[in-house]
Coordinates of all heavy atoms in Angstrom, one line a residue:
S1 N 103.9 108.7 71.5 CA 102.9 109.9 71.4 C 102.3 110.0 70.0 O 101.5 110.9 69.8 CB 103.6 111.1 71.8 OG 104.1 111.0 73.2
M2 N 102.8 109.3 69.0 CA 102.3 109.5 67.7 C 100.9 109.0 67.5 O 100.5 107.9 67.9 CB 103.3 108.7 66.7 CG 102.9 108.9 65.2 SD 103.3 110.5 64.6 CE 105.1 110.6 64.8
S3 N 100.1 109.8 67.0 CA 98.6 109.5 66.8 C 98.5 108.6 65.6 O 99.3 108.6 64.7 CB 97.8 110.8 66.6 OG 98.1 111.4 65.4
Q4 N 97.3 108.0 65.5 CA 97.0 107.1 64.4 C 96.9 107.9 63.1 O 97.4 107.5 62.0 CB 95.7 106.3 64.6 CG 95.4 105.3 63.5 CD 96.4 104.2 63.6 OE1 96.7 103.5 64.6 NE2 97.1 103.9 62.4
R5 N 96.4 109.1 63.2 CA 96.3 110.0 62.0 C 97.7 110.3 61.5 O 97.9 110.3 60.3 CB 95.6 111.3 62.5 CG 95.6 112.4 61.4 CD 95.1 113.7 61.9 NE 95.4 114.8 61.0 CZ 96.5 115.5 60.8 NH1 97.5 115.2 61.5 NH2 96.6 116.4 59.9
S6 N 98.6 110.6 62.4 CA 99.9 111.0 61.9 C 100.6 109.8 61.3 O 101.4 109.9 60.3 CB 100.8 111.5 63.1 OG 100.2 112.7 63.6
L7 N 100.5 108.6 61.9 CA 101.1 107.4 61.3 C 100.5 107.2 59.9 O 101.3 106.8 59.0 CB 100.8 106.2 62.2 CG 101.9 105.9 63.3 CD1 101.4 104.6 64.0 CD2 103.2 105.7 62.7
D8 N 99.2 107.4 59.8 CA 98.6 107.1 58.5 C 99.0 108.1 57.5 O 99.0 107.8 56.3 CB 97.0 107.2 58.6 CG 96.5 106.0 59.5 OD1 97.2 105.0 59.6 OD2 95.4 106.1 60.0
L9 N 99.4 109.3 57.9 CA 99.9 110.3 56.9 C 101.4 110.0 56.6 O 101.8 110.1 55.4 CB 99.8 111.7 57.5 CG 98.5 112.4 57.6 CD1 98.6 113.7 58.3 CD2 98.0 112.7 56.2
L10 N 102.1 109.6 57.6 CA 103.6 109.5 57.4 C 104.0 108.2 56.5 O 104.8 108.3 55.6 CB 104.3 109.4 58.7 CG 105.8 109.3 58.7 CD1 106.4 110.6 58.1 CD2 106.4 109.1 60.1
R11 N 103.4 107.1 56.9 CA 103.8 105.8 56.3 C 103.8 105.8 54.7 O 104.8 105.5 54.1 CB 103.0 104.7 56.8 CG 103.3 104.4 58.3 CD 102.4 103.4 58.8 NE 102.4 102.1 58.1 CZ 101.4 101.3 58.0 NH1 100.3 101.5 58.6 NH2 101.5 100.1 57.3
P12 N 102.7 106.2 54.1 CA 102.7 106.2 52.6 C 103.5 107.4 52.0 O 103.8 107.4 50.8 CB 101.2 106.3 52.2 CG 100.6 107.0 53.5 CD 101.3 106.6 54.6
T13 N 103.8 108.4 52.8 CA 104.5 109.6 52.3 C 106.0 109.2 52.1 O 106.6 109.6 51.1 CB 104.4 110.7 53.3 OG1 103.0 111.1 53.4 CG2 105.2 111.9 52.7
I14 N 106.6 108.5 53.0 CA 108.0 108.0 52.8 C 108.0 106.8 51.8 O 107.9 105.7 52.3 CB 108.6 107.7 54.2 CG1 108.3 108.8 55.2 CG2 110.1 107.4 54.0 CD1 108.9 110.1 54.8
R15 N 108.1 107.2 50.6 CA 107.8 106.1 49.5 C 109.0 105.9 48.5 O 108.8 105.1 47.7 CB 106.5 106.6 48.7 CG 106.7 107.9 48.0 CD 105.5 108.3 47.2 NE 104.4 108.7 48.0 CZ 103.2 109.1 47.5 NH1 103.0 109.2 46.2 NH2 102.2 109.4 48.4
K16 N 110.0 106.6 48.7 CA 111.2 106.5 47.9 C 111.7 105.1 47.9 O 111.7 104.5 48.9 CB 112.3 107.5 48.3 CG 113.5 107.5 47.3 CD 114.5 108.5 47.8 CE 115.7 108.6 47.0 NZ 116.7 109.6 47.4
P17 N 112.0 104.5 46.8 CA 112.6 103.1 46.8 C 113.7 103.0 47.8 O 114.7 103.8 47.8 CB 113.1 102.9 45.4 CG 112.2 103.8 44.5 CD 112.0 105.0 45.4
G18 N 113.7 102.0 48.7 CA 114.7 101.8 49.7 C 114.6 102.7 50.9 O 115.4 102.6 51.8
S19 N 113.5 103.5 50.9 CA 113.3 104.4 52.1 C 113.0 103.5 53.3 O 112.5 102.4 53.3 CB 112.3 105.4 51.8 OG 111.0 104.8 51.5
E20 N 113.3 104.1 54.5 CA 113.1 103.4 55.8 C 112.3 104.3 56.8 O 112.5 105.6 56.7 CB 114.4 103.0 56.4 CG 115.1 102.0 55.5 CD 116.4 101.5 56.1 OE1 116.8 102.0 57.2 OE2 117.0 100.5 55.6
L21 N 111.6 103.7 57.7 CA 110.9 104.4 58.8 C 111.5 103.8 60.1 O 111.5 102.6 60.3 CB 109.4 104.1 58.8 CG 108.7 104.8 57.6 CD1 107.4 104.0 57.2 CD2 108.3 106.2 57.9
W22 N 112.1 104.7 60.9 CA 112.7 104.4 62.1 C 111.8 104.9 63.3 O 111.4 106.0 63.3 CB 114.1 105.0 62.3 CG 115.1 104.5 61.2 CD1 114.9 103.6 60.2 CD2 116.4 105.0 61.0 NE1 116.0 103.4 59.4 CE2 117.0 104.3 59.9 CE3 117.2 105.9 61.7 CZ2 118.3 104.5 59.5 CZ3 118.5 106.1 61.2 CH2 119.0 105.4 60.1
F23 N 111.7 104.1 64.3 CA 110.9 104.5 65.5 C 111.7 104.2 66.8 O 112.2 103.1 67.0 CB 109.6 103.7 65.6 CG 108.7 103.9 64.3 CD1 108.9 103.1 63.2 CD2 107.7 104.8 64.4 CE1 108.1 103.3 62.1 CE2 106.8 105.0 63.3 CZ 107.0 104.2 62.2
T24 N 111.7 105.1 67.7 CA 112.2 104.9 69.1 C 111.2 105.4 70.0 O 110.6 106.5 69.8 CB 113.5 105.6 69.3 OG1 113.4 107.1 69.0 CG2 114.7 105.0 68.5

């Protein structure tokens, strides 16, 4: 259900070294 707008906001925000993005 995640929109393209939300993905585009989230991905560069989680930027801490070693940070991860998990999706189910």
